[in-house]
């Protein structure tokens, strides 16, 4: 099975893409989770679906590819990230309202585009749940570029993002460019969602950004440790999920998410064991 | 003595509601100033003005002899906000990571966190007697210990002035005393200038070198020993603190 992934180009593309998003999705996810923006990732992924449906509609109606569904999804995702910020500023006291507005707007537009095209077939299905055979060499190239951008920006802005995530007021008083940093961060989220969709699919992309992080923060003491664990859990979920998806002929989005949930359950058990061990050691210290 | 903060006859109002009227105040190098007053008296507003987060409608503010509008030397000032203790309690950050955040503005975007910065963090943590918790998760500490960590975060950039907005809220009585003693030590031994908003009149009166009672206007400015207010105003203060 592993040989297949190395032998066939389309499977190789899938494997490389999987490894890249297994790195960048949980990396960004760490900031998303601690900043309580998990649902924004979900909203953006649904708008990406609208973009993909728009791209597929154009392809079907015009019979020539004007803009690939991948780029259309990417464009919609970036635009939606700007719109969310606009809405969050307009509804300062009800910032979370931006999420249902954008999410339902994305689904609404998707329904309209899909209906106008009289429905799509397997293509849309693979965008919804991911596919092991959907990554072209062109897709891989774009995903490599997105990954490099994400790693560079996080490398430069790590300290500032951490301050912003931990204590927004302190960040502002310290003279950090909080608004600009948040804006760049939202653009990165939009890019990572678009990059991840080929493998995990629209409906499950936010899971790869949040579930490995949820498991990591149960076990980590510090933020860097949480990031390393989240990436290990993310990569494990992607690799096991991809291979099992291929073996059982199931869209990999499903298997990747199930593996990451199993890791999360395992983290609960490990955390309980660690806690029990800590209590036992403290008790023994107290007795002696 | 050198003036650190000079506030000169400022007015400030939120839309139509006046918050501060003709307020003047001077903080000199080495002062430990306690800023007290009832809720809505304008204490936090005054601090926000002093930090350049708000602009006065009238009057002038100078930090370290420079007008606040052109002041750039923010490394000299640290702020421990009222909300510092209200951070997300599940946040995965060690004491080291939280204190290191205090160096972020100084390091900037493109410089790396070096061995020199690491040593500065360890030193700041040692100053607040929290070295043994350096690699512990901040959420696992008590309220008093967490507040010490936030003081270390304020100290790490070696400021000359630290402004604290109600730092003792949510800390049990036994730890509050230790916290005041820590601030007094920093003030006396390191010559650090402190401005602290509080409702804890009894506590601050014991440790501060100067007391200001603010209720939209400065009602009292002087030594804590000589401070007294009419019974009605003290009732207001006690009511808030209860």
């Amino acid at each position: 099975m592993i040989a297949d992934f190395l032998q066939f180009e389309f499977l190789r593309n899938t494997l490389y893409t999987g490894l890249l998003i297994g790195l960048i999705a949980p990396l960004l996810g760490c900031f998303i989770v601690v900043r309580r923006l998990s649902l924004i990732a979900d909203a953006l992924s649904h708008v990406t679906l609208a973009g993909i449906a728009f791209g597929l509609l154009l392809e079907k109606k015009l019979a020539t590819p004007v803009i690939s569904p991948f780029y259309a999804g990417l464009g919609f995702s970036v635009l939606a990230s700007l719109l969310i910020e606009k809405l969050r500023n307009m509804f300062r006291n009800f910032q979370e309202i931006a999420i249902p507005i954008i999410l339902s707007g994305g689904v609404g537009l998707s329904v309209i585009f899909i209906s106008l095209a009289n429905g799509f077939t397997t293509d849309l299905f693979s965008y919804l749940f991911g596919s092991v055979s959907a990554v072209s060499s062109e897709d891989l190239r774009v995903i490599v570029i997105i990954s490099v951008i994400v790693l560079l920006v996080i490398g430069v802005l790590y300290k500032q993002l951490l301050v912003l995530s931990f204590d927004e007021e302190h960040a502002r008083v310290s003279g950090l460019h909080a608004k600009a940093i948040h804006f760049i961060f939202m653009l990165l989220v939009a890019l990572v969602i678009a990059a991840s969709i080929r493998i995990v699919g629209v409906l499950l992309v936010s899971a790869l950004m949040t579930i490995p992080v949820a498991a990591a923060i149960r076990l980590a003491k510090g933020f860097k440790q949480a990031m390393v664990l989240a990436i290990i859990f993310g990569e494990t979920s992607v690799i096991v999920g991809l291979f099992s998806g291929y073996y059982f002929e199931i869209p990999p989005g499903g298997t990747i998410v199930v593996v990451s949930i199993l890791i999360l359950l395992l983290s609960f058990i490990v955390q309980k064991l660690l806690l029990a061990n800590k209590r036992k050691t403290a008790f023994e210290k107290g007795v002696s | 003595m050198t003036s650190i903060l000079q506030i000169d006859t400022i007015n400030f109002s939120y839309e139509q509601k006046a918050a501060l009227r003709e307020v003047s105040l001077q903080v000199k190098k080495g002062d430990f100033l306690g800023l007290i007053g009832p809720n809505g008296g304008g204490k936090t507003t005054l601090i926000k003005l002093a930090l350049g987060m708000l602009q006065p409608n009238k009057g002038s503010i100078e930090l370290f002899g420079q007008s606040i509008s052109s002041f750039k030397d923010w490394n000299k000032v640290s702020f421990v906000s009222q909300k510092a203790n209200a951070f997300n309690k599940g946040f995965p950050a060690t004491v080291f990571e939280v204190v290191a955040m205090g160096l972020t503005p100084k390091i900037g975007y493109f410089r790396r966190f070096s061995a020199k910065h690491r040593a500065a963090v360890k030193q700041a943590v040692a100053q607040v007697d929290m070295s043994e918790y350096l690699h512990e998760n901040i959420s696992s500490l008590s309220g008093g210990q967490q507040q010490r960590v936030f003081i270390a975060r304020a100290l790490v950039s070696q400021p000359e002035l630290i402004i604290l907005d109600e730092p003792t809220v949510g800390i049990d009585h036994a730890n509050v005393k230790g916290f005041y003693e820590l601030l007094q030590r920093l003030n006396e031994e390191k010559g650090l200038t402190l401005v602290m908003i509080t409702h804890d009149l009894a506590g601050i009166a014991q440790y501060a070198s100067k007391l200001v009672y603010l209720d939209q206007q400065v009602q009292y400015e002087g030594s804590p020993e000589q401070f007294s207010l009419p019974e009605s105003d003290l009732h207001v203060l006690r009511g808030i603190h209860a």
Side-chain angles (χ1 to χ4, degrees):
Chain A
M1 185 171 59
I2 295 171
D4 287 354
F5 272 85
L6 297 174
Q7 186 184 352
F8 301 110
E9 194 196 348
F10 71 99
L11 286 177
R12 254 201 329 264
N13 289 344
T14 304
L15 182 62
Y16 295 152
T17 303
L19 291 174
L20 286 173
I21 62 166
L23 169 70
I24 57 172
L27 176 71
L28 221 52
C30 282
F31 293 103
I32 291 175
V33 170
V34 297
R35 297 188 66 199
R36 296 179 172 158
L37 297 174
S38 303
L39 285 172
I40 286 183
D42 224 15
L44 285 182
S45 68
H46 283 75
V47 178
T48 310
L49 173 66
I52 288 164
F54 180 69
L56 287 170
L57 170 69
L58 286 183
E59 235 177 46
K60 196 166 180 179
K61 290 287 178 195
L62 302 173
T64 55
V66 184
I67 177 170
S68 88
F70 177 79
Y71 284 117
L74 184 67
F76 270 55
S77 177
V78 170
L79 279 178
S81 69
L82 305 181
L83 209 57
I84 284 181
E85 279 321 293
K86 186 87 188 150
L87 285 169
R88 274 160 64 89
N89 282 331
M90 283 169 74
F91 294 95
R92 278 194 174 277
N93 297 318
F94 310 96
Q95 288 193 331
E96 72 283 357
I97 209 167
I99 296 165
I101 293 173
I102 294 294
L103 194 146
S104 49
V107 175
L109 282 175
S110 308
V111 170
I112 292 171
F113 293 142
I114 292 166
S115 301
L116 285 175
N118 298 321
F120 301 115
T121 51
T122 49
D123 249 9
L124 188 70
F125 191 78
S126 81
Y127 278 112
L128 285 177
F129 304 109
S131 163
V132 283
S133 56
V135 187
S136 67
S137 298
E138 172 61 19
D139 290 341
L140 177 61
R141 244 192 308 278
V142 176
I143 289 161
V144 168
I145 293 169
I146 288 176
S147 304
V148 171
I149 292 172
V150 169
L151 292 174
L152 279 177
V153 175
I154 293 290
V156 172
L157 291 183
Y158 170 79
K159 300 184 290 294
Q160 286 76 10
L161 273 171
L162 187 58
V163 176
L164 198 60
S165 309
F166 185 75
D167 186 348
E168 204 162 330
E169 192 173 27
H170 183 254
R172 287 180 204 281
V173 174
S174 307
L176 295 184
H177 305 98
K179 264 191 175 176
I181 293 168
H182 177 70
F183 175 71
I184 293 169
F185 178 73
M186 290 305 294
L187 287 181
L188 288 188
V189 174
L191 287 176
V192 171
I193 285 172
S196 310
I197 271 169
R198 286 315 242 162
I199 301 274
V200 275
V202 166
L203 300 179
L204 301 169
V205 64
S206 68
L208 192 58
M209 296 181 123
T210 53
I211 301 173
V213 182
I217 58 177
R218 304 290 298 189
L219 304 174
K221 275 187 179 175
F223 196 76
K224 272 201 176 143
Q225 201 182 9
M227 271 175 35
V228 172
L229 283 176
I231 290 167
I232 293 171
F233 296 158
E235 292 289 13
T236 310
S237 306
V238 167
I239 294 167
V240 177
L242 268 183
F243 286 141
S244 54
Y246 176 69
Y247 185 75
F248 295 111
E249 293 178 14
I250 296 168
T255 48
I256 288 171
V257 171
V258 168
V259 174
S260 60
I261 286 180
L262 287 176
I263 292 174
L264 177 65
L265 294 176
L266 208 62
S267 76
F268 293 156
I269 298 169
V270 172
Q271 190 199 21
K272 282 215 159 158
L273 289 174
L274 287 173
L275 215 64
N277 195 35
K278 207 174 168 183
R279 283 201 189 113
K280 196 178 155 201
T281 315
F283 177 74
E284 283 169 358
K285 261 188 186 171
V287 169
S288 65
Chain B
M1 232 187 284
T2 326
S3 177
I4 299 274
L5 173 65
Q6 178 84 45
I7 294 173
D8 197 11
T9 50
I10 57 162
N11 281 359
F12 182 81
S13 52
Y14 290 104
E15 293 176 357
Q16 296 304 313
K17 198 173 175 293
L20 295 171
R21 284 179 287 138
E22 303 291 319
V23 171
S24 294
L25 189 69
Q26 191 183 34
V27 180
K28 289 180 184 160
K29 190 170 169 52
D31 275 353
F32 181 176
L33 185 141
L35 186 57
I36 56 166
N39 274 344
K43 302 184 297 296
T44 300
T45 303
L46 187 66
I47 292 308
K48 283 186 175 174
L49 285 158
L51 289 166
M53 294 161 81
L54 296 172
Q55 308 301 321
N57 304 120
K58 186 198 138 216
S60 68
I61 300 172
E62 284 185 358
L63 261 177
F64 296 91
Q66 295 173 52
S67 166
I68 190 80
S69 53
S70 58
F71 185 74
K72 294 271 185 287
D73 218 353
W74 288 106
N75 285 329
K76 288 184 174 175
V77 187
S78 276
F79 177 54
V80 179
S81 83
Q82 205 173 356
K83 289 179 191 159
N85 222 357
F87 69 96
N88 177 355
K89 297 293 184 231
F91 200 104
T94 60
V95 168
F96 183 93
E97 285 174 323
V98 173
V99 177
M101 287 179 204
L103 284 172
T104 299
K106 210 172 188 175
I107 299 173
Y109 293 97
F110 296 102
R111 277 167 58 208
R112 292 189 65 81
F113 193 83
S114 67
K116 189 182 79 181
H117 299 127
R118 203 173 296 277
V121 171
K122 285 183 180 169
Q123 194 192 353
V125 174
Q127 277 183 321
V128 298
D129 302 325
M130 290 292 289
S131 294
E132 61 179 302
Y133 301 98
L134 193 64
H135 298 294
E136 290 300 317
N137 186 302
I138 178 111
S139 309
S140 67
L141 307 178
S142 71
Q145 289 172 324
Q146 284 172 0
Q147 205 54 276
R148 280 173 178 264
V149 174
F150 293 122
I151 296 292
R153 182 179 66 174
L155 282 173
V156 73
S157 58
Q158 297 185 313
E160 291 177 37
L161 166 69
I162 299 187
I163 297 176
L164 307 107
D165 189 356
E166 295 197 47
T168 53
V169 171
I171 302 179
D172 58 88
H173 187 69
N175 283 315
V176 167
K177 190 170 175 283
F179 183 71
Y180 277 120
E181 284 168 358
L182 167 70
L183 292 180
Q184 196 179 38
R185 201 181 73 211
L186 292 169
N187 174 247
E188 287 174 359
E189 291 175 12
K190 309 271 170 198
L192 202 63
T193 308
L194 300 169
V195 174
M196 176 171 159
I197 293 183
T198 183
H199 280 129
D200 179 18
L201 176 59
I204 194 74
Q206 282 183 54
Y207 298 93
S209 59
K210 189 175 167 185
L211 213 57
V212 168
Y213 184 87
L214 185 72
D215 187 3
Q216 296 195 355
Q217 291 177 305
V218 175
Q219 309 272 4
Y220 176 83
E221 184 177 1
S223 74
E225 293 81 22
Q226 286 165 0
F227 175 71
S228 67
L229 270 179
E231 188 58 32
S232 57
D233 283 353
L234 280 175
H235 175 73
V236 171
L237 265 181
R238 282 198 201 105
I240 296 157
H241 194 51

